[in-house]
Amino acid sequence: MSMVPHSLHSSWATILSLTQQNKFRTAQNLLDKIALTHFLSTPSVLNALVYACDDSRVNSHAFSWLLIRYSNSKMTHDAIQVFEYMRAHRLTPHLHSCTSFLSSLVKLGMNDVVWKSYKKMERMGVVPNIHVYNVLIHSFCRSGNVEKAQEVLGQMEDKGIMRDLFTYNTLIALYCKHGMHHEALGIQHRMETEGITPDIVTHNTLIHGFCRQGRMREALRMFREIRGAVPNHVTYTTLIDGYCRVNELEEALRLRQVMEMKGIFPGVVTYNSLLRKLCELGRIRDANKLLKEMSEKKVEPDNVTCNTLVNAYCKIGDMASALKVKKRMLEAGLKLDQFTYKALIHGLCKAKEMESAKDVLFNMIGAGFSPNSATYSWIVDGYCHQHNPDAVIALLDEFMARTICVGLSIYRALIGRFCKKEKIDYAQRLFLHMNERDIAGDSVVYTTLAFAYFKIGDLSAAVDILDEMYKKRLMVQPQLYRCLSASYANDKNTMDCFWDHVGERGLIRKSALKDA
């Protein structure tokens, strides 16, 4: 213990002593305190602690509490170090610590690590209980791994471990997520057979599964068959959203009235579903009435509410109203997200307000969001509508002046859009611009340029680019083949002829064409 501070030495000795006397709660509380002030998970400290006592039972208790502490404190890296140290020193963790540890991994989406850690636990002598199995099934639900979830369920059956409500609800959620409604209903029947009464979570999950697929008749039937549970805010909101998605707005509005009559008042999620459908239908006046109602009922709009309105105003070209909503968002303490920025850029480009669109683009990048190819396509379209495509080239120089990294993805998007608009000279200028900055083009850039030249009848330029592809050993992948073929489906003869030239140079595999 000489490698650790004296205060830790004495505290750890006290913890061990209390554990030997079976005063577990007091020992655990003391360990929680010292875990806050000492880096107990470092290998040197763990080495010193484990050799302070030769009683494996006592050490297993102490290290299991440490594992729980780090897992519950979201100190997952430290928890992993403690777990691996226990494994190396053949200390069997308690079931509660196993559940806490695996749960912390699930919350971080480390689903592969969850299963590997579980298999290690088995080799360490851990006999899993219902709680450990539930965490595993929950992990596979989040990762969408139906087969693994069924494998765990089979293990539970083999070991005679009875499933509980959480187990079944998790399985139903997994099946519904994959559209396996027959299997989900089978699980519901099975739980009832075993004497486990479905709760409102069970019913809501099943209803949501049908609503997601637009199967409102089945969703309504499930709603009417609810027994032993009371429909809640989630139940009604799920149905309202489902009706909105299948364009049955009047039924959604009727259901909202039923909801209120039962003393269940709509929240922001409910209003968002209705607002989205009203905006999709172009009923902006009705959407504003609903927004006013939200204000009267003290329901605070969220990002989804505001983005829905911003997008709706941008679509009809009312940029003044869109910018007012953006201003209110900021005044309410909401942060603009990538959807807000994209909607504003799209709207401003359509309105040919390119300086404002450019400002929003820079703000978007400054906020840490990366514009996608669609965003850059709007920028190209906007400047082309102003008969000012040179501004796109100037935009890249401004990016560099502001020390914004201009990578291959940006060039790919801009070149692709210019080619689509048959402004090949500007696409070629961007290609040269890219090469001057030592940014190597990929197969997407070369193939897009080659096809653009081929389409306008400049076979010589197209062949030169294809030959350059061959020298660089760039192959056309199935995804690119599918994308280009879909984009120019109306010009099948040109496409077929172009792919013949590509095939002659061995730039696309026959297997790729079959896969596509």
Side-chain angles (χ1 to χ4, degrees):
M1 293 285 282
S2 59
M3 299 173 70
V4 298
H6 179 73
S7 59
L8 178 55
H9 180 284
S10 57
S11 296
W12 190 256
T14 304
I15 290 168
L16 298 177
S17 176
L18 289 167
T19 305
Q20 286 172 326
Q21 298 172 48
N22 293 332
K23 295 180 179 179
F24 301 133
R25 181 56 63 97
T26 308
Q28 188 174 358
N29 289 340
L30 178 56
L31 186 140
D32 284 345
K33 289 178 182 177
I34 66 171
L36 291 171
T37 55
H38 296 279
F39 295 105
L40 302 186
S41 65
T42 55
S44 58
V45 174
L46 290 172
N47 267 325
L49 298 180
V50 78
Y51 290 117
C53 175
D54 57 6
D55 188 332
S56 62
R57 182 189 71 89
V58 173
N59 275 331
S60 290
H61 277 303
F63 281 92
S64 291
W65 295 329
L66 190 57
L67 185 58
I68 292 169
R69 173 68 195 183
Y70 285 136
S71 297
N72 293 346
S73 301
K74 299 180 182 178
M75 299 170 68
T76 308
H77 177 72
D78 300 85
I80 290 172
Q81 286 195 162
V82 172
F83 174 73
E84 290 298 338
Y85 198 85
M86 291 182 75
R87 187 169 72 93
H89 288 79
R90 299 182 179 179
L91 298 175
T92 305
H94 297 170
L95 279 170
H96 180 44
S97 67
C98 291
T99 305
S100 298
F101 178 52
L102 294 175
S103 294
S104 69
L105 296 174
V106 173
K107 287 174 184 175
L108 289 177
M110 301 170 67
N111 295 297
D112 288 341
V113 181
V114 171
W115 183 246
K116 289 175 183 175
S117 298
Y118 166 68
K119 300 307 289 184
K120 289 175 183 178
M121 287 173 183
E122 283 191 319
R123 291 192 288 272
M124 292 162 74
V126 173
V127 179
N129 60 5
I130 180 65
H131 303 297
V132 172
Y133 281 123
N134 279 345
V135 174
L136 291 174
I137 292 174
H138 181 52
S139 170
F140 296 131
C141 180
R142 290 189 62 167
S143 63
N145 195 329
V146 176
E147 291 182 3
K148 278 290 184 184
Q150 290 173 332
E151 180 183 332
V152 171
L153 192 65
Q155 286 186 18
M156 293 174 72
E157 290 176 347
D158 292 343
K159 295 179 180 179
I161 297 176
M162 296 297 293
R163 281 73 57 192
D164 62 8
L165 182 62
F166 183 87
T167 317
Y168 284 124
N169 279 348
T170 307
L171 282 168
I172 287 172
L174 176 59
Y175 287 132
C176 286
K177 182 179 179 181
H178 286 268
M180 301 167 67
H181 296 99
H182 179 74
E183 289 81 357
L185 291 170
I187 292 292
Q188 183 197 22
H189 176 72
R190 185 171 176 176
M191 64 192 290
E192 290 172 343
T193 302
E194 293 183 9
I196 299 172
T197 304
D199 64 358
I200 194 59
V201 174
T202 318
H203 295 294
N204 286 348
T205 305
L206 288 164
I207 290 169
H208 181 254
F210 285 118
C211 286
R212 273 182 63 198
Q213 292 198 332
R215 297 168 61 177
M216 296 310 298
R217 184 177 297 177
E218 290 98 326
L220 191 59
R221 178 177 58 79
M222 293 299 306
F223 173 68
R224 289 171 175 164
E225 289 178 358
I226 293 177
R227 300 289 184 273
V230 179
N232 59 14
H233 175 270
V234 175
T235 320
Y236 284 102
T237 298
T238 302
L239 285 167
I240 288 169
D241 185 66
Y243 279 120
C244 287
R245 289 178 186 276
V246 296
N247 299 317
E248 294 188 31
L249 178 60
E250 296 310 314
E251 188 61 28
L253 292 170
R254 185 198 67 78
L255 198 58
R256 191 196 70 159
Q257 291 180 335
V258 172
M259 179 182 182
E260 291 181 339
M261 285 169 57
K262 292 183 176 293
I264 305 171
F265 296 99
V268 68
V269 178
T270 320
Y271 280 110
N272 284 345
S273 295
L274 295 168
L275 279 169
R276 183 172 58 245
K277 179 48 60 176
L278 286 169
C279 289
E280 281 178 11
L281 296 173
R283 293 168 57 176
I284 306 299
R285 186 173 297 177
D286 290 330
N288 280 321
K289 286 180 183 177
L290 205 61
L291 197 66
K292 183 180 178 183
E293 181 185 312
M294 288 177 68
S295 178
E296 291 169 353
K297 294 186 176 181
K298 308 294 186 207
V299 178
E300 292 292 331
D302 62 6
N303 271 63
V304 175
T305 318
C306 298
N307 285 344
T308 300
L309 290 167
V310 167
N311 192 48
Y313 283 126
C314 287
K315 279 186 175 179
I316 62 173
D318 187 354
M319 295 312 300
S321 295
L323 292 169
K324 280 181 184 177
V325 176
K326 172 202 162 189
K327 183 181 177 183
R328 287 175 192 160
M329 283 181 74
L330 296 172
E331 289 172 350
L334 296 173
K335 291 185 177 180
L336 307 188
D337 58 25
Q338 59 180 324
F339 302 106
T340 326
Y341 287 115
K342 284 173 66 178
L344 288 169
I345 292 169
H346 192 200
L348 290 165
C349 288
K350 281 175 65 179
K352 301 180 183 178
E353 298 179 30
M354 294 311 298
E355 284 305 306
S356 296
K358 189 173 73 171
D359 289 341
V360 176
L361 178 68
F362 284 126
N363 289 337
M364 180 181 186
I365 295 168
F369 299 108
S370 298
N372 61 10
S373 58
T375 313
Y376 287 112
S377 293
W378 300 329
I379 295 289
V380 171
D381 290 351
Y383 280 122
C384 286
H385 287 153
Q386 285 190 337
H387 307 290
N388 186 20
D390 288 306
V392 178
I393 312 292
L395 180 64
L396 290 179
D397 293 329
E398 193 170 344
F399 270 39
M400 292 172 182
R402 296 187 183 213
T403 66
I404 296 171
C405 178
V406 180
L408 174 61
S409 60
I410 295 177
Y411 282 106
R412 187 193 294 137
L414 296 175
I415 289 170
R417 194 59 181 175
F418 273 127
C419 286
K420 185 76 175 175
K421 297 182 76 67
E422 296 190 1
K423 291 186 177 293
I424 315 302
D425 49 342
Y426 284 98
Q428 184 65 36
R429 282 175 63 184
L430 283 169
F431 183 65
L432 295 173
H433 195 277
M434 182 178 72
N435 289 335
E436 286 167 3
R437 282 155 182 78
D438 294 324
I439 298 174
D442 61 1
S443 59
V444 177
V445 172
Y446 279 94
T447 308
T448 304
L449 268 174
F451 179 74
Y453 277 118
F454 192 86
K455 193 169 186 296
I456 64 171
D458 192 342
L459 185 60
S460 175
V463 167
D464 285 345
I465 292 173
L466 292 177
D467 288 342
E468 186 68 21
M469 277 185 74
Y470 178 78
K471 291 176 185 176
K472 292 180 178 292
R473 297 294 187 266
L474 295 173
M475 297 292 292
V476 177
Q477 300 302 319
Q479 299 94 317
L480 178 56
Y481 172 79
R482 284 196 298 266
C483 184
L484 265 176
S485 297
S487 297
Y488 296 95
N490 295 331
D491 198 353
K492 189 175 184 301
N493 291 335
T494 304
M495 285 300 309
D496 289 344
C497 190
F498 174 70
W499 290 125
D500 286 342
H501 278 274
V502 172
E504 286 171 7
R505 288 161 179 77
L507 299 175
I508 187 167
R509 296 186 181 91
K510 289 182 179 179
S511 59
L513 298 177
K514 290 178 182 177
D515 292 342

